[in-house]
Every structure is written in C-alpha cells, then in structure tokens.
Amino acid sequence: MNLPSVPSSHDNIAALSSGQGLAALAVIRISGPKLKDILGRVLSDGGCLRKPRRLVLDQVLDESGEVIDQVLAVFFPGPASYTGEDMAELHCHGGRAVYGRILQRLFALGCREALPGEFTRRAFENGKMDLTRAEAVMHIINARTPQQVKAAARVLTGKFQQRLENLRRQLEEALAVAEALIDFPDEEIDFPLEAELESLAKELGEIRKSLFLAGGGAVEIAILGRQNVGKSSLLNRLAGRELALVTPVAGTTRDAVRFRTELAGREVEFLDTAGLSPKPADELDRLSQEKTRKDARQAALALWVFEATEFTPPPDWCSRPILVANKIDLLEKKQKEGLEKEVLSRGGVMLSALSGEGVENLLEKIAQRLEEEFGPQEGIPVSWQQAEAIDNLVAAIRRAKDEFHHNQLLITAEELRRAMGELGRLLGQEVTPDVLDMIFSRFCIGK
Amino acid sequence: MNVPRGTVEVVVIGAGHAGCEAALASARLGVPTALVTFALDKIAAMPCNPSIGGLGKSHIVREIDALGGEMARAADFAAIHFRLLGASKGPAVRARRVQCDYLAYHRYMKTVLKNTPGLMLIQGEVTEIVVDGGKVTGVELASGQRINCKAVVLTAGTFLRGLAHVGLESYPSGRLGDRPANRLSQSLEKIGIYLGRLKTGTPPRLAAESIDFSDLEPQPSDPWLTFSQEPPPRLLPQVVCYITRTSQATSEVIKNSLDRSPLYTGKITGRGPRYCPSIEDKIVRFPQRDSHQVILEPTGLASGVVYPNGISTSLPADTQQRLVSSIKGLENARIINFGYAIEYDFVRTCQLSPTLACRGMEGLFLAGQINGTSGYEEAAGQGLIAGINAARFVQRKEAITVSRSEAYLGVMIDDLINHEITEPYRMFTSRSEFRLLLREDNAWERLAEISERVGLVPQAAVQSRQAVEQDIARCRQLLRSLLAPAEPEKDGRRPTLEEKLRRPEVTIQDLSVFLDEQFAQQVLERVEVEVKYQGYIQRQIQEVKKLKDLERKIIPEATVYQDIPGLSAELCEKLERIRPRSLAEASRIEGMTPAALMVLSVWISGRRVPRGTGKS
C-alpha cells in the first residue's frame, strides 16, 4: 500500500566524497540532469561551467548571497564524466561546518543526498562501468551499509527512540481513523481526529527542538565583545590551541573563526567574531561588524566578553548573553570582589583566558543554559536524512491538520501517509502499516 | 443439447457477476462463447446485499463501464435507491451507491445475454475441465456431454465444495437454495490447481409487511447520478430505506448462544472478512458498544423482502428469531430466510498471472469470488478482464493488463496475485497509493487507451466520451486564460479564474458565470477537482512515473537470487519464495531496502533482459 522509497534516476544527487571529520579539504560530488542550473545558482561566478574539466576558483553562496566558502569547482559535462551525466565536484575547506552548509544549500536547490553506491549505479547504467566492477563496488557498499544503518540506529536509543515509537503509534491511529472515515462514511466512528493531529504536531515540535544536525550544524555559541577584550584568547583557550590570531592590535579578527567541540553531551561550535565598536573605523570594519551581528543572531547562545576592569553592557540586539568578565589576572583583589557581586548576580562568570582561571565555570554555565534552552541531554545528533525527514514530517502533519479542518479528508489521509513514510525513514525502517488491520482492530465497523 | 465441435471457443463456467461480464465480453469481441450455469433463473443473482457501489466498489463499476462491460448499465437500470457517499468530504472521495431491485437486475442481465449474438446459454453442471498437455481442450458436464473449446473462464463463485452453516447444522450448498459444485473442485486439484478455504456470511431476510417502520429513521434517496456514461432510461421508482439499532437485549441473546455458534465453536474453518463481521463478531470483539446500527433495505419493489444490513449471522435458527425481535421495529418481524455462513474453496492466487490466466496452463482463466474476492463489483471487474483475455487468447492477440497506477481493477489484480489471501478481498480506496489519480470521475480518461485497444465500447460512445474530454480541456483552457473580474492585482497582475478557483472557499459554480460557454455538470466537476488538487495530483503523477520505471524492469524467471552478490540471506529467501516479476513487485516485499533494489537493478540491467509484455 505504501510506496517504496526507491531512488529515482532522474533526481539530482549530491554527497560528500571525502574529507569526513577534520580534514583540510573536502570534496562534494554532484550529479544529475539539472546540474548546470544548480551550479549556476550555488556558485557566485560559475566560471567552471565556462571552462569544463578545469578546477576553477569560485565561491559558494547561501540563500542571501553571503559567502559560505571559497571553493575550487570543476564541471564535467556528460557523457564524459564518472556517472555519464553532467557532474561536478566542489573542493571546499574541510570541517563539517563548511561542507555541511554547502550540502544544505545544494539540498535547498533541488538535490537530494545520494544513497550509498548511487554514483556507481549511475555510472553502470550509463555504460561507464562494466558489470563486474559495478558489482564489486556494490558488494563493498552493501557490506558497509548495514554497519551504517546500525550506526544510525544506535544514535536513536533510549528515551528518544521511545518517543518516536509513541509518535508512530499515534500516527498510525490518526491514519487509521482518516482512512476509516473515507472508506466507511456511513459508520459511527467516534474519534477526535483534529485534536489528535494537534497533539501530534505539538509532540513533533518538541522532538524537533531537541534534535540537532550532526555533520553540518551544532549549537552555535557566538563570542561577542568590543575589540581587544580577549575573545580570540578565550577561543584559543577553549580550543586548547592557537586557532584565532591574537595580537595586541585591536581589531585583528575580521572574519569569524570557529571551533567545534563536545560539551556536556552536545556538539557545540564556538564562534569568534570581529570586535564590535560604537564607531567603525572604515568600510571593511563596518562590514565585518555587520557580519558579527548576523552571526550572533543566528547563534543559539552568545557570550558577551568584556574586560574585568571596565564593565561594558551588551548591545540591545544581543539577547540574554552570558556575561564573561575576562582578564581577571589584571585585577586587584578588592576590584575582584566588587566585580563578583556585579557579574555573578547577573549569572555571569569571571575568568582569565590567559591563565585559564575560571574557564571551567564558564563551561558549566554554558552547559546549564543549553539544558534550559534545549531540553534534557538526550538531544540527539541526527544525520541529514533524518533531519530532513523530521522537517518533512512536521510539514506533513501540519498540512494534515489544516486540510482536515477544511474537510478535505483525502488530503488529510495522503499527508498522514506521507508522514508515516518519513517516520519510517527516520527510524531507519520501511514502515508499511497494514491500514486495514489498524482500522478493524480499533473500530467496530463494516456490515 | 448437443454442441457441435468447433462451434464454441470459450466456455464460461458460472453465470454470476463475473461469469456474465466474461461471457458478454468474449462474445461481443466476436468469439463464439458458451455460458454454463446451474440455473438460468439465477443469472446475475444477488445472494447478499442487493446493492452496487460504495467506496472503492463504485470506482470499479465506473472502470467496467469505461472498458465496455455491462454492470454499470445494469445497476443504473435496476436502481431503486441512490446515495452519494462522502459528498461533504471533498470531491475526490465521493462514491455512488445504489440499492437494486434484484429481480430487475437479473432480468436485465438475462435479456442482454440472450440478445447477444454468438453467446449460447446452457443450463447444466460442469464437472471437469479437460486438459491435455498443459492446454485446455474442453469441459465435461454432469450429463456426460462434452463441450470442446480453446479457453475456459472459471467463475464458480462460492460454489466449490460450498458448505452452509446455520447454528451447528451444516449442509452442502453453493448459495442459498442451490447445491454446491463438488466435482469441479476435484477436477481442479487433478490438473494441479491448489485450493484454500474461505468463509462469508449473510443476514436473515425479513418479510417487509411484518416490520414496524413507524418509529424508525427514514433514509430517502439522494439526487441521482448514474454509473454509466450511456445509462439506460430510468424507469423504476425510488424507495426509502430505514435505520434502526440493536439493543442491550440483542447483545444478551447473542452472548447466551455463542456455544452454538459455528464460528465460536470452531466448526467453520475458513476465515471470514474483517470488514463484514457477523453480529456475533461485533458483540464479542466490541463488548463496550451497547448498540449497533442496522439499515433496513428493500430487496425489490414488489419482493416484500427486506435485507437488514448489519446483522450477518450464522447462529442457530431460534437464536436468530430472538435476535431479530430484540431490534426496534422488528419485534414482530417474520424471518423468510435464515442467515447463514458459507464456507467454500477458492483458488490460491499465486497461481494467477496479471492477465487472470492460470500460470503453467494454457487457456484457463479465473475470475470472481473463486479468486478470493468478495462483492459483486470485484467479481464483475475480474470477469471482464478474464473474458477479454480469453477472447484475445483465442484470437492470438496480446492479452491486456491493467496497472495499479491506472485503475482499481489493476490494484485489485495486483493485490490478489502478490499477497496471500486469508480473508475475502474487498476493495477499499485505502488499498491504492494513487487515490488522487484513481477517481470516480476520470475512469474513462484513465482507461481510454486500453479501452480503444480492446474495442468493446461502441464507436458512437467512444466519440461522445472523447467529446467530454475535449470539453474538459477547453474549460480548463478558458479558466487559465481568463482573468478574474473584480480581483485585486497580485505580483503585478490580476489572478486568472484558475488561480481564483484554487482558493478553498471558491467553487466552480461561482466562476461558471464568467465562462462564455455552458459546460455540463460532469465537465465542471472534473475541472474543479483537477484545479483544486493540482499540486497533489502532480505529485502522484511523479510517483506513478517512478512506479512505471520499476515495472519495466523485468526480473528474468530463472533468476537464482543466491548468485547475486550483496543480498542478505533473509532477502534472498523471500525473493526465492515470492519470485517477483519486476522490480516494482520486488520493491513491495517486506524488508526490501533501497540498497538491495539497486543491486537487483544493476543485476538485471547487466543481463540485458528483453522488455517483457505480460503475456500469459
């Protein structure tokens, strides 16, 4: 009854070819009939399209035209390519933050994540590879895939798995009711479907909040403050090594430097920013400050760093930052005590990025805030496909609810079926419910 | 009666709904056909609820009409009560349903059969299907007479080793008042066809004049819509149905009699349908309900018999009497026929091919309840396909198949063949994954191509149906090109009528005044559905494309799945057992993964299989 999710040969596919984890370079492969169009929209210049089979410097842009990364792009017009159709490679900077965002952009432009072995399958189907080689590749991929599936499944353990299972039962019931209302219009089916759909939507909203993408996005924590207050030193201290450039010259950091780590069971990404000043010195300065504001707004959490000797309040647009008084190594004992009252009473911390004193407190504070904002630690990292599945699931339930309100029963049922499919993807199983079974075991209907 | 050799090429066994469609189709296609039945007086009988249509079923009836079958017209002719189900729930889920005068239905069909040239009606019992070297050569009757033929369509319904149960009494019966066909089952087993056992049930029949309707809720007819595109003139008056309910007393009566119920004492071995539960099923499984709805339906204008829909039962006779009397309005009701359950043989459908031919044998086709379905409509649909293909087999033409993306006929046949039947199969719209495409209103559009290839629909009718399609296209074109008057601009221009129609509160009636052409109601409604559901329809069309891609990838019959690298042992075992014909069928196997499908896809591409065409 449910349509199987079979990969179509007409889709545009994209995937990371190499460079998982921390590596200097990552390569993203894209293949498909609409490739040229997609490249034209994702790249700033598109020079690779004019000069095929050459690595051409370019930039990948996000939906607002901001640069995600500088890349080397190469375009292979089909049929002279690996897959036999139009293909491209984007060589970008390694690190999940970067390639993750590039992939996300590609998905937004109409690609989907390639399944294991899919590039090879296309290569074979287009006659670029003989059967023996293709089978050999398939064999390896399939041997690995159960492992990958297991790995993905391991991620969904415990309470989260339980929640999803409960969701599935609720969804099954809603679907059974919708189907019964269609196929048995005469029967007395007493079930508050609209309320049930409300409850499903709410539960999904909760689940979605506690998820975050692994391999593409973590909880972002922006380190903000005026110039030269020690933001970069703090970042370096957190990273345990030199990531950001620190010089006594104010305003050294122009662009954001990021550091990803795990904190209290969550993936977090610290974001160093260009120092804010009430009066930007020049155009470049103004631009980098704009960028800082943007980054800060996108971040889940902000640290407002200031020199312990001189308290400066955070700007208005910065909502609920954690106050961080830095450079306490420069303070006299009496000043310290005075400051403690100010800062600690506001839930802030006092530390010295230079000496390391107090940094532990900061990490604790951050963990606490994350717990408050994002719910219990069982927040689970999920893959692209799972994240996409959740988004689709949320959208489907929402539409089911709206359409039911308008008495469009068929659409309600269709959206609920779609939702079940997405839930199946999420749980890593093909969920093909026996709808009739569900209906007849619940309702006394039929004549 | 002697049938000279060579005069008959197709023999249809059984004149139920499947048999009638099969015989008509075969004869109309120019192949000399004989229809053999126990009783000519029982042609196209309606042994259970005398109704045609409902969700899923009416879709099949419309498809039968699209392909040139007869049921739609018969139902239109014999209808005495009409309802449009689901009318308020969105245009794509409505379904027509009629109550028929069962005698009128029978007379109509019998008349059509008698007036069909090339069709011979024979009263008798077929006791053996004669097979020689894997080919059907004829049938033998109980009288000793033999009819030679090239193809047989078996549509024996519930007659195969039929066993009726009333209480703990049971007696051989094909159907109420008819004897069963026992020797035929043996004949089938002899030629290698294996059978299963199913059960179905029916309620008692009541004398209309003994029912007190005065305090019951009436259910009058809705404004009428026909099943057929070319319906016969409407002659019969409409009647009113009545609604009543069981009571606490009813539940008590039943609970106290379960020890004498053939179902609950295990006397019946076949499994009954979940969607047509007996009243004892309902009481046992849902004890918290203290009353169940019963709809009193007249079986004919002058029959004097009422069919109480909702109290199917096989409890003993005295219990049935007490049960009936405990229902409001039926306190003094007289039972004319007691309700009974019937157990019967059916043919396990893995032996069928998508053309309804029996695999491994030439010239044998099976259709109807004998394939494990329930319902007149489901039977008729199969009968039509089987009859067409039997005729084409004789004419050495390629058989036709219907895909599940084209029609409910296709969903039904595909489901039957690919799933094990454990209860009688009834069509529901939820069985289809393409409900937005398979609507009641577009049956002709979906099947036009196949229908024209088959050639059963007379040319005049084809032309008028095509004219309707052209009207629809023109209407849509108008909506697309005309701007909505008195509408504010959006994105620099005024919206078109089509864009306006997309809004939920706007109906086609609101906009038809702006069209300079008058369109038929049928046309306007079709256009409305297509515009309002356009997004979803498009999405399903994409999914159909995907499915068709998969259907085209044929898996060679001799495939040894163990040889394919990269398939799990579990999947291999399932594939070996089920032996899917195409990637589409493989993809529906439980546990199939996209990765494994890819492996299969690579494997069969490498074997360079010629495109299969579904020949039987």
Side-chain angles (χ1 to χ4, degrees):
Chain A
M1 179 216 87
N2 247 357
L3 253 196
S5 56
V6 175
S8 158
S9 312
H10 309 294
D11 291 345
N12 301 291
I13 53 178
L16 191 67
S17 264
S18 68
Q20 304 240 34
L22 245 57
L25 221 55
V27 179
I28 294 177
R29 254 203 296 194
I30 322 168
S31 182
K34 293 236 163 57
L35 182 71
K36 285 200 277 217
D37 177 56
I38 292 173
L39 277 183
R41 281 155 59 205
V42 77
L43 293 173
S44 147
D45 181 48
C48 62
L49 289 167
R50 298 189 290 276
K51 290 187 265 190
R53 289 193 195 91
R54 304 260 201 88
L55 280 168
V56 180
L57 194 62
D58 209 324
Q59 291 172 318
V60 172
L61 306 175
D62 71 8
E63 61 281 349
S64 56
E66 295 275 327
V67 174
I68 299 178
D69 191 21
Q70 254 201 355
V71 299
L72 283 173
V74 53
F75 168 62
F76 302 96
S81 67
Y82 179 79
T83 54
E85 48 188 19
D86 282 351
M87 245 197 74
E89 283 176 17
L90 300 178
H91 296 230
C92 61
H93 292 91
R96 272 178 287 202
V98 176
Y99 69 68
R101 285 176 68 194
I102 297 181
L103 277 173
Q104 203 167 30
R105 179 77 183 119
L106 288 170
F107 297 155
L109 286 172
C111 293
R112 69 163 164 83
E113 197 170 3
L115 289 165
E118 212 172 346
F119 288 100
T120 305
R121 181 184 81 154
R122 290 191 181 190
F124 171 74
E125 281 181 349
N126 292 326
K128 308 296 292 184
M129 199 187 272
D130 68 43
L131 181 62
T132 328
R133 269 191 69 201
E135 283 177 350
V137 175
M138 290 297 184
H139 198 130
I140 296 172
I141 286 168
N142 269 309
R144 257 200 262 125
T145 308
Q147 255 87 297
Q148 288 176 348
V149 170
K150 259 195 240 150
R154 220 182 294 128
V155 150
L156 301 175
T157 51
K159 278 206 211 139
F160 188 63
Q161 175 86 334
Q162 196 51 47
R163 277 177 94 175
L164 283 183
E165 285 293 334
N166 290 341
L167 194 77
R168 166 142 64 125
R169 267 191 289 277
Q170 257 189 298
L171 192 50
E172 272 184 10
E173 189 153 50
L175 179 57
V177 174
E179 297 285 4
L181 287 171
I182 291 175
D183 277 324
F184 298 92
D186 270 350
E187 303 275 357
E188 309 163 301
I189 296 169
D190 195 13
F191 191 89
L193 186 55
E194 194 156 3
E196 185 70 14
L197 292 174
E198 271 286 352
S199 144
L200 268 171
K202 243 179 85 182
E203 171 69 357
L204 268 173
E206 298 286 298
I207 289 179
R208 191 201 209 167
K209 263 204 275 190
S210 63
L211 291 178
F212 53 89
L213 274 177
V219 179
E220 287 186 352
I221 303 175
I223 307 178
L224 307 168
R226 293 273 172 83
Q227 285 173 355
N228 224 22
V229 295
K231 298 185 295 302
S232 304
S233 309
L234 182 55
L235 185 76
N236 288 343
R237 166 62 62 176
L238 290 170
R241 58 189 191 275
E242 289 277 327
L243 275 185
L245 213 53
V246 181
T247 71
V249 177
T252 321
T253 312
R254 292 264 201 227
D255 308 308
V257 178
R258 293 165 182 263
F259 166 65
R260 181 182 292 236
T261 184
E262 199 201 283
L263 179 56
R266 268 177 244 272
E267 273 209 285
V268 299
E269 197 169 72
F270 289 101
L271 187 57
D272 188 13
T273 62
L276 297 164
S277 80
K279 270 203 191 53
D282 54 26
E283 183 60 18
L284 200 60
D285 217 16
R286 196 184 65 76
L287 281 174
S288 69
Q289 301 216 7
E290 259 311 302
K291 183 156 198 310
T292 298
R293 281 170 71 137
K294 192 158 186 276
D295 285 337
R297 267 199 289 268
Q298 272 180 357
L301 198 53
L303 306 178
W304 176 254
V305 184
F306 56 93
E307 286 185 75
T309 46
E310 192 195 329
F311 174 68
T312 30
D316 294 327
W317 51 260
C318 181
S319 77
R320 297 184 61 227
I322 296 178
L323 300 174
V324 179
N326 192 17
K327 303 189 185 176
I328 53 176
D329 47 297
L330 297 179
L331 280 183
E332 306 271 324
K333 187 153 186 257
K334 257 223 318 233
Q335 288 175 297
K336 222 187 196 174
E337 281 160 17
L339 192 65
E340 262 174 32
K341 272 217 233 87
E342 278 275 342
V343 173
L344 297 182
S345 66
R346 282 198 181 89
V349 292
M350 292 168 39
L351 51 80
S352 165
L354 202 64
S355 70
E357 184 190 342
V359 174
E360 279 308 309
N361 296 338
L362 173 62
L363 294 177
E364 261 174 42
K365 187 109 265 169
I366 295 176
Q368 220 174 46
R369 275 292 285 277
L370 290 179
E371 176 103 11
E372 282 164 22
E373 302 277 324
F374 293 93
Q377 228 154 308
E378 275 98 23
I380 304 289
V382 292
S383 71
W384 286 108
Q385 287 187 307
Q386 288 169 327
E388 200 183 26
I390 280 270
D391 281 340
N392 290 342
L393 191 48
V394 169
I397 297 285
R398 207 181 336 116
R399 279 193 297 264
K401 201 165 62 88
D402 290 338
E403 294 295 341
F404 184 71
H405 192 68
H406 288 116
N407 246 339
Q408 291 292 343
L409 214 44
L410 188 52
I411 305 297
T412 304
E414 292 302 309
E415 291 294 351
L416 288 176
R417 286 185 180 190
R418 181 158 279 256
M420 290 242 50
E422 295 293 346
L423 190 53
R425 277 176 68 194
L426 194 60
L427 289 169
Q429 328 151 349
E430 290 298 321
V431 175
T432 27
D434 182 345
V435 171
L436 290 178
D437 221 21
M438 294 189 300
I439 295 177
F440 294 115
S441 61
R442 282 177 174 80
F443 305 112
C444 182
I445 52 181
K447 293 196 167 25
Chain B
M1 183 186 100
N2 260 330
V3 179
R5 185 178 280 273
T7 51
V8 164
E9 297 193 310
V10 169
V11 170
V12 178
I13 304 175
H17 300 278
C20 290
E21 295 292 342
L24 282 174
S26 176
R28 283 169 172 167
L29 287 175
V31 175
T33 305
L35 176 55
V36 185
T37 172
F38 277 6
L40 290 171
D41 287 341
K42 295 280 185 77
I43 285 176
M46 292 177 140
C48 200
N49 190 356
S51 88
I52 301 270
L55 267 301
K57 288 160 170 282
S58 74
H59 297 72
I60 290 181
V61 176
R62 297 273 290 170
E63 289 166 8
I64 289 174
D65 189 55
L67 289 176
E70 198 63 32
M71 178 174 260
R73 278 196 294 270
D76 285 335
F77 177 83
I80 55 177
H81 185 266
F82 176 84
R83 289 197 64 216
L84 187 61
L85 303 174
S88 63
K89 294 181 182 162
V93 288
R94 344 179 293 196
R96 298 153 162 84
R97 186 165 185 261
V98 297
Q99 293 296 124
C100 292
D101 180 316
Y102 76 93
L103 274 178
Y105 193 95
H106 153 76
R107 276 198 221 113
Y108 176 94
M109 273 306 216
K110 190 169 176 188
T111 309
V112 171
L113 288 168
K114 275 165 68 174
N115 293 339
T116 300
L119 178 55
M120 198 186 306
L121 299 179
I122 299 176
Q123 184 157 299
E125 177 185 352
V126 173
T127 51
E128 189 153 339
I129 297 176
V130 185
V131 169
D132 188 12
K135 276 209 255 252
V136 161
T137 56
V139 299
E140 262 182 30
L141 305 186
S143 58
Q145 181 193 4
R146 168 155 166 161
I147 307 175
N148 292 314
C149 63
K150 298 205 181 104
V152 164
V153 184
L154 180 57
T155 57
T158 60
F159 277 63
L160 295 181
R161 282 198 279 242
L163 192 62
H165 296 264
V166 182
L168 297 175
E169 303 287 317
S170 60
Y171 53 93
S173 170
R175 186 174 57 195
L176 181 65
D178 295 316
R179 57 190 172 83
N182 289 335
R183 292 161 67 180
L184 196 47
S185 284
Q186 287 161 348
S187 164
L188 290 173
E189 284 172 334
K190 211 171 78 178
I191 56 180
I193 295 180
Y194 40 101
L195 309 170
R197 202 101 174 122
L198 283 178
K199 155 220 171 278
T200 190
T202 196
R205 305 294 197 275
L206 309 174
E209 33 89 9
S210 63
I211 299 176
D212 181 7
F213 295 102
S214 56
D215 209 12
L216 303 178
E217 189 193 327
Q219 194 185 65
S221 246
D222 288 337
W224 208 35
L225 289 172
T226 62
F227 280 108
S228 176
Q229 287 290 116
E230 299 87 27
R234 181 171 158 189
L235 300 172
L236 300 179
Q238 303 295 289
V239 303
V240 175
C241 293
Y242 288 88
I243 304 177
T244 178
R245 306 190 69 86
T246 65
S247 62
Q248 191 62 26
T250 322
S251 308
E252 285 307 311
V253 166
I254 290 170
K255 278 189 220 150
N256 292 335
S257 310
L258 290 176
D259 57 334
R260 290 192 292 152
S261 150
L263 262 181
Y264 288 93
T265 54
K267 248 201 116 199
I268 293 186
T269 52
R271 186 163 155 195
R274 287 169 298 181
Y275 48 80
C276 199
S278 61
I279 188 70
E280 45 270 35
D281 273 336
K282 293 189 200 181
I283 302 295
V284 168
R285 290 178 55 221
F286 297 92
Q288 68 276 19
R289 285 274 291 266
D290 52 5
S291 91
H292 300 267
Q293 195 188 68
V294 180
I295 304 186
L296 301 175
E297 298 163 349
T299 62
L301 292 168
S303 65
V305 179
V306 160
Y307 178 98
N309 197 343
I311 51 171
S312 178
T313 180
S314 57
L315 286 168
D318 57 324
T319 309
Q320 289 192 33
Q321 189 64 71
R322 286 203 304 278
L323 191 167
V324 166
S325 318
S326 70
I327 297 173
K328 183 169 171 206
L330 305 181
E331 294 84 355
N332 296 315
R334 194 164 48 85
I335 296 183
I336 299 177
N337 292 319
F338 284 96
Y340 63 95
I342 183 152
E343 259 186 280
Y344 55 96
D345 285 343
F346 77 103
V347 173
R348 293 211 176 271
T349 46
C350 48
Q351 300 164 100
L352 289 178
S353 70
T355 58
L356 291 182
C358 184
R359 276 165 124 173
M361 198 162 312
E362 268 192 54
L364 179 59
F365 296 82
L366 297 113
Q369 255 173 308
I370 195 178
N371 286 338
T373 57
S374 106
Y376 315 137
E377 305 86 341
E378 289 85 342
Q382 292 172 65
L384 180 59
I385 302 287
I388 291 172
N389 284 335
R392 288 171 78 92
F393 170 78
V394 165
Q395 293 168 331
R396 294 196 209 283
K397 288 190 190 159
E398 198 187 315
I400 59 148
T401 55
V402 182
S403 154
R404 59 185 306 129
S405 59
E406 287 168 321
Y408 279 99
L409 287 172
V411 174
M412 174 170 62
I413 295 176
D414 190 64
D415 279 351
L416 285 176
I417 293 176
N418 291 307
H419 297 281
E420 205 192 331
I421 300 293
T422 52
E423 66 173 354
Y425 178 98
R426 184 205 138 141
M427 185 51 73
F428 296 106
T429 63
S430 60
R431 293 197 192 270
S432 167
E433 61 274 42
F434 301 120
R435 259 197 300 223
L436 275 147
L437 301 179
L438 306 187
R439 307 185 309 270
E440 242 201 0
D441 59 67
N442 66 351
W444 168 253
E445 186 201 13
R446 295 184 267 118
L447 292 170
E449 199 240 311
I450 296 182
S451 187
E452 291 184 38
R453 217 177 339 132
V454 167
L456 271 175
V457 179
Q459 201 44 35
V462 170
Q463 277 167 355
S464 81
R465 291 172 184 201
Q466 279 172 347
V468 170
E469 294 300 316
Q470 281 156 10
D471 282 352
I472 289 166
R474 216 168 44 249
C475 183
R476 281 211 70 175
Q477 189 46 40
L478 276 178
L479 289 175
R480 241 178 258 137
S481 55
L482 292 176
L483 297 179
E487 280 291 320
E489 287 201 11
K490 199 175 164 201
D491 297 330
R493 59 171 181 82
R494 271 199 289 151
T496 62
L497 285 179
E498 188 178 82
E499 283 162 346
K500 187 164 178 190
L501 185 55
R502 292 225 178 89
R503 297 190 216 145
E505 71 279 9
V506 178
T507 70
I508 189 77
Q509 302 305 334
D510 301 334
L511 302 181
S512 57
V513 294
F514 301 121
L515 302 171
D516 48 14
E517 195 181 327
Q518 276 263 56
F519 289 103
Q521 188 61 20
Q522 191 190 161
V523 170
L524 291 175
E525 281 174 2
R526 245 302 265 295
V527 168
E528 184 175 40
V529 170
E530 284 181 9
V531 169
K532 283 191 181 289
Y533 291 98
Q534 186 170 8
Y536 289 95
I537 290 177
Q538 279 306 115
R539 199 160 78 183
Q540 291 207 332
I541 291 180
Q542 290 311 311
E543 310 202 317
V544 168
K545 280 209 192 97
K546 269 202 213 168
L547 179 66
K548 287 205 146 94
D549 273 342
L550 289 182
E551 282 176 348
R552 271 192 281 269
K553 305 242 170 91
I554 307 290
I555 301 178
E557 287 234 8
T559 301
V560 179
Y561 292 98
Q562 323 284 351
D563 291 348
I564 303 181
L567 289 180
S568 75
E570 196 195 331
L571 263 181
C572 267
E573 187 267 327
K574 286 194 180 148
L575 286 161
E576 286 289 348
R577 189 165 32 95
I578 295 173
R579 304 220 68 87
R581 267 166 289 247
S582 68
L583 273 191
E585 289 181 24
S587 70
R588 281 194 278 275
I589 293 176
E590 196 193 323
M592 181 60 67
T593 63
L597 265 181
M598 222 177 321
V599 166
L600 278 176
S601 161
V602 167
W603 173 263
I604 61 188
S605 307
R607 264 73 199 155
R608 233 147 305 181
V609 180
R611 298 253 208 100
T613 45
K615 279 202 172 72
S616 61

